Amino acid sequence: MLYVLALFLPPLSILMIGRWFVALITLLIWIPAIFFSGGLTHPMFIILAWILIFQRGADRRAGL
């Protein structure tokens, strides 16, 4: 479910995995980037969110 949420709202999906500082920074960069680039930078934030979600799953599997 987090991967689907990351497609539409990457900062919220990052916040939901517990990385509140990264989510705040991402939100502060994501909002202006969407307006100034016309959405061309959105895939960059999706990839960032997917990587962080994947790392969280790997950490959980490793018991960290």
Side-chain angles (χ1 to χ4, degrees), residues 2-3 6 10-27 44-61:
L2 287 174
Y3 288 104
L12 181 60
S13 66
I14 295 170
L15 181 65
M16 290 183 70
I17 62 170
R19 308 278 304 260
W20 64 271
F21 186 73
V22 176
L24 179 66
I25 298 299
T26 303
L27 179 68
M44 176 181 65
F45 294 104
I46 293 171
I47 292 170
L48 171 67
W50 282 355
I51 290 170
L52 292 174
I53 293 166
F54 179 79
Q55 284 180 346
R56 177 182 174 245
D59 289 346
R60 291 175 115 191
R61 286 188 294 274

